[in-house]
Amino acid sequence: MARRYDSRTTIFSPEGRLYQVEYALESVNHAGTCLGIRTKSGVLLASEKKILSKLLEQGNTPEKLLKVDKHIVIAIAGLNADAMILVNLARLTARRYSAKFGQPIPVENLVQELSDHKQGYTQFGGLRPYGVAFLFAGWDRKGGFQLFHSEPSGNFSAWKATAIGASSQAAQAMLKSDYHEELDLKAAKNLATRVLEKTMDCVKMTEERLEMVYLTHSDEPGDVVFRYLSLNAGEDEA
């Protein structure tokens, strides 16, 4: 039945489904797990690093956690090529807003802009949906620290803690049972490590299989900074 209705994004099935959008969601569900946790002093993003081959040169550049602006970081799950197009669009949108209004773009505004763009690719013939989902970690003066999830369909929602990618349902279940709003950085880091160990089915997490970033207040009033975290105590300011 699906083959009669999945050739275009503009064709609904009799059940009201858009199969091309569902296929884009499947590309997210087969990607490495990413999760976000909002704490009392910031937002933590963590991502699984898939090692495709032991012969592959491992660089120090983050693969799944990328800076959009000085106050916004994202985690990606899905097709990396699609993700980079949208990341560059997000960076351009943030710069244009800053140049026009003289202040950083509010987090939800940027999420809305990017989600509207993604939704447009589900509505017109000759286009295909982007096969990528995002977790946005950000801060602004109005909303404070925020965590958003944006889907390939263009839907987005705000969360206290959530996960995307492979085994996201198992990760969500663990977050639901163990999360509380008074988590500090150390507790959030331990929770993220436990969740990824469970979803990746590994006995002990190693640096090569995990990347984490923490967005928090800087020493300057009204400003934020994000730091790449290691499994040990070390932190690297971006």
Side-chain angles (χ1 to χ4, degrees), residues 11 38 45 51 62 73 88 95 111 113 133 145 159 180 185:
I11 299 177
R38 199 179 73 195
L45 294 179
I51 301 175
V73 188
N88 288 336
R95 297 296 187 276
V111 176
E113 288 280 347
F145 289 105
W159 293 81
H180 58 87
L185 171 57

Side-chain angles (χ1 to χ4, degrees), residues 38-148:
R38 199 179 73 195
T39 73
K40 61 182 180 181
S41 60
V43 186
L44 175 76
L45 294 179
S47 174
E48 170 189 356
K49 292 175 68 175
K50 288 195 171 183
I51 301 175
L52 301 178
S53 170
K54 65 180 182 180
L55 300 178
L56 185 64
E57 185 71 37
Q58 300 296 321
N60 294 324
T61 304
E63 297 176 357
K64 302 291 186 180
L65 306 178
L66 302 173
K67 179 180 179 181
V68 173
D69 204 348
K70 63 181 182 180
H71 65 301
I72 300 175
V73 188
I74 63 172
I76 62 177
L79 303 178
N80 276 20
D82 285 12
M84 294 313 301
I85 294 295
L86 292 171
V87 168
N88 288 336
L89 176 62
R91 289 168 174 165
L92 181 60
T93 302
R95 297 296 187 276
R96 285 174 172 169
Y97 186 98
S98 180
K100 183 175 182 179
F101 297 104
Q103 62 183 8
I105 187 171
V107 182
E108 188 170 355
N109 285 34
L110 181 63
V111 176
Q112 177 77 65
E113 288 280 347
L114 210 63
S115 296
D116 287 348
H117 178 79
K118 291 165 74 174
Q119 195 276 335
Y121 275 67
T122 70
Q123 202 167 1
F124 301 101
L127 304 175
R128 69 159 175 82
Y130 288 99
V132 63
F134 293 118
L135 293 180
F136 289 81
W139 178 89
D140 57 53
R141 295 182 183 275
K142 180 180 179 181
F145 289 105
Q146 299 159 70
L147 175 66
F148 286 94

Side-chain angles (χ1 to χ4, degrees), residues 32-37 43-49 64-65 73-77 135 137 147 162-164 188-196 200 205 209-214 229 231:
T33 307
C34 300
L35 59 89
I37 301 172
V43 186
L44 175 76
L45 294 179
S47 174
E48 170 189 356
K49 292 175 68 175
K64 302 291 186 180
L65 306 178
V73 188
I74 63 172
I76 62 177
L135 293 180
L147 175 66
T162 190
I164 56 176
K189 185 177 173 181
N190 290 337
L191 176 57
T193 304
R194 291 201 314 270
V195 171
L196 289 175
M200 294 164 62
M205 186 66 68
R209 302 193 64 184
L210 174 70
E211 54 183 345
M212 285 190 287
V213 67
Y214 189 60
L229 308 178
L231 287 176

